[in-house]
């Protein structure tokens, strides 16, 4: 029997190169070898967007388009809307008993996000508790593997703890998942900051036009000390080189450029032109597939609906086992 992948994204915007490198590439590559479920996590998106349900709704289509455009094959992978799987909400309620408030507050992923979003003590309980509902996402599908961005690893760790508690207290019905982080766990934003993110305004999207890509690359952080072409420049922490390392297929040529840049005599303009071309060769084909797919939204919703139905069957089977383990199976023989 095939092992299972469960993964997902919050539909709060279109997907960007950080998603692409951090997990989409892995998901596309692994979909043939695993039974794959990809969750559009609308309920989780609401935990910090509860006042903007229209935004979450709109982005369901956008995220699905991104998935299909990068090569997620709906014949193999099920694209599932989280809120349409009530078993996930049900499991969340029971898992809440297995997690302490202190443990949630210590979760580094949640801690960082609470800081970023400036929630302070006014953090919605739903947001603070999203690692619990994410554990429900993962375990409802009995996932073995969860391809995610590096920042999500503490959430997977907490899921493993919940699985262990559940299996010890009730019955060993849940599966312990493993997180899978890409080789390049985290892509910095175009401003050179730690992480590419929609809310940070430093992202290049999979739907960006060639012009926008060029403009964004032009604004990219390089070496602030590298003023004239003939000056020696720094390669470490130079975002253009970081991106070339990730996306340029000619590593040998990039190495030569690095030597020249460090010596002096290589300008940012030349370097950025190369990166623009490299990124266009990655995004161009994705963008045109995306445009093609976007012409028939009804077809996309059919795909999501069919994927959600497949997901529901899986989650319901797990839920039946959970009910039995927890002695909640009142009406079954
Ligand atoms: N929390 C993830 C993110 O923000 C999205 C997500 C929701 C997810 N449910 C999941 C990822 C289950 C992996 C598995 O990127």
């Amino acid at each position: 029997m095939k092992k299972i992948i469960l993964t997902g994204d919050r539909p709060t915007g279109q997907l960007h190169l950080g998603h692409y490198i951090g997990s989409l590439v892995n998901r596309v590559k692994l979909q043939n070898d695993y039974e794959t479920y990809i969750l559009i996590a609308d309920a989780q998106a609401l935990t910090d967007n509860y006042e903007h349900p229209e935004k979450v709704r709109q982005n369901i289509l956008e995220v699905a388009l991104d998935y299909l455009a990068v090569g997620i094959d709906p014949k193999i992978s099920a694209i599932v809307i989280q809120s349409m799987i009530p078993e996930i909400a049900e499991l969340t309620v029971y898992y809440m008993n297995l997690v302490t408030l202190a443990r949630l507050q210590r979760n580094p992923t949640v801690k960082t996000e609470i800081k970023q979003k400036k929630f302070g003590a006014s953090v919605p309980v739903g947001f603070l508790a999203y690692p619990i509902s994410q554990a429900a996402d993962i375990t409802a599908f009995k996932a073995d593997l969860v391809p995610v961005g590096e920042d999500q690893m503490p959430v997977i760790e907490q899921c493993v703890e919940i699985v262990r508690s559940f299996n010890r207290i009730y019955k060993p019905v849940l599966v312990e998942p493993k997180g899978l982080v890409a080789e390049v766990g985290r892509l910095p934003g175009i401003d050179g900051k730690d992480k590419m993110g929609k809310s940070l305004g430093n992202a290049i999207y999979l739907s960006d036009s060639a012009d926008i890509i060029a403009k964004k690359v032009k604004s990219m952080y390089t070496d602030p000390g590298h003023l004239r072409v003939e000056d020696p420049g720094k390669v470490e922490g130079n975002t253009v080189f970081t991106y070339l390392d990730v996306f340029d297929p000619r590593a040998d040529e990039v190495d030569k450029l690095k030597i020249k840049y460090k010596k002096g005599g290589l300008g940012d303009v030349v370097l950025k032109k190369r990166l623009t071309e490299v990124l266009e060769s990655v995004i161009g084909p994705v963008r045109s597939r995306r445009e093609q797919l976007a012409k028939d939204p009804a077809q996309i919703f059919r795909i999501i609906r069919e994927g959600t139905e497949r997901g529901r069957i899986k989650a319901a089977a797990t839920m039946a086992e959970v009910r039995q383990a927890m002695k909640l199976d009142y009406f079954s023989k």
Side-chain angles (χ1 to χ4, degrees):
M1 229 171 51
K2 274 190 181 172
K3 292 206 167 197
I4 297 171
I5 281 183
L6 179 286
T7 180
D9 297 280
R10 294 178 213 170
T12 52
Q14 297 185 354
L15 301 183
H16 51 62
L17 283 178
H19 294 112
Y20 181 76
I21 284 301
S23 59
L24 291 176
V25 172
N26 265 341
R27 297 175 191 177
V28 172
K29 204 162 55 190
L30 296 171
Q31 65 181 340
N32 290 301
D33 303 327
Y34 287 78
E35 181 181 321
T36 299
Y37 299 89
I38 306 184
L39 216 56
I40 303 187
D42 60 338
Q44 189 178 106
L46 284 169
T47 62
D48 60 329
N49 289 276
Y50 55 90
E51 289 170 300
H52 304 290
E54 70 294 338
K55 171 170 144 192
V56 173
R57 188 182 174 120
Q58 271 166 16
N59 281 303
I60 285 182
L61 178 64
E62 299 299 331
V63 170
L65 284 171
D66 286 327
Y67 287 157
L68 297 169
V70 297
I72 296 293
D73 179 352
K75 285 203 233 34
I76 331 183
S77 301
I79 299 177
V80 179
I81 297 191
Q82 183 189 34
S83 71
M84 298 304 284
I85 312 289
E87 288 79 6
I88 291 174
E90 218 176 329
L91 288 173
T92 303
V93 169
Y94 300 125
Y95 294 171
M96 282 203 271
N97 301 328
L98 309 177
V99 180
T100 65
L101 178 59
R103 176 64 182 89
L104 277 176
Q105 286 170 328
R106 255 189 284 122
N107 184 308
T109 310
V110 178
K111 231 164 119 175
T112 311
E113 287 185 77
I114 289 175
K115 232 187 252 157
Q116 268 174 11
K117 295 175 202 292
K118 304 193 169 54
F119 277 137
S122 312
V123 59
V125 171
F127 186 80
L128 180 68
Y130 96 68
I132 303 179
S133 70
Q134 194 159 323
D137 296 342
I138 294 166
T139 54
F141 293 86
K142 296 205 169 175
D144 301 285
L145 198 66
V146 187
V148 279
E150 195 180 47
D151 60 304
Q152 290 288 307
M153 287 310 274
V155 179
I156 315 289
E157 257 168 59
Q158 195 162 6
C159 176
V160 170
E161 289 172 30
I162 292 172
V163 168
R164 288 187 184 154
S165 300
F166 185 99
N167 287 349
R168 175 172 45 80
I169 297 167
Y170 304 112
K171 252 188 190 180
V173 301
L174 300 182
V175 174
E176 267 186 44
K178 277 199 179 53
L180 176 69
V181 174
E183 227 176 291
V184 184
R186 142 180 344 155
L187 189 71
I190 55 172
D191 53 1
K193 295 236 174 71
D194 204 38
K195 190 189 157 186
M196 182 175 281
K198 177 182 150 52
S199 50
L200 303 169
N202 61 6
I204 296 178
Y205 293 92
L206 297 173
S207 56
D208 277 352
S209 68
D211 283 354
I212 291 184
I213 295 173
K215 214 181 277 166
K216 286 181 176 172
V217 170
K218 244 181 227 150
S219 79
M220 246 166 135
Y221 182 86
T222 56
D223 169 11
H226 185 240
L227 297 176
R228 284 164 307 182
V229 173
E230 58 276 21
D231 291 341
K234 269 201 224 104
V235 166
E236 301 295 271
N238 185 322
T239 316
V240 177
F241 276 112
T242 308
Y243 277 48
L244 286 173
D245 281 338
V246 174
F247 295 102
D248 197 319
R250 298 295 307 267
D252 52 332
E253 289 180 23
V254 174
D255 283 343
K256 279 189 201 135
L257 290 172
K258 283 181 184 168
I259 292 169
K260 198 163 168 201
Y261 194 82
K262 280 196 254 189
K263 255 208 321 240
L266 180 60
D268 284 355
V269 176
V270 177
L271 216 52
K272 285 180 169 176
K273 186 160 171 284
R274 182 180 179 108
L275 179 59
T276 303
E277 279 160 19
V278 167
L279 290 184
E280 175 58 21
S281 72
V282 174
I283 293 176
V286 176
R287 184 202 307 124
S288 38
R289 267 197 302 275
R290 203 182 188 288
E291 280 165 6
Q292 208 51 41
L293 290 159
K295 287 183 187 154
D296 190 0
Q299 168 64 7
I300 309 299
F301 279 108
R302 271 196 293 278
I303 287 171
I304 300 174
R305 183 172 184 160
E306 191 269 332
T308 303
E309 279 162 7
R310 268 198 275 162
R312 183 86 202 270
I313 291 168
K314 186 82 186 173
T318 306
M319 196 64 222
E321 285 183 73
V322 164
R323 282 193 160 270
Q324 200 241 345
M326 294 184 73
K327 309 199 182 305
L328 299 167
D329 54 337
Y330 302 112
F331 300 143
S332 56
K333 286 167 272 167

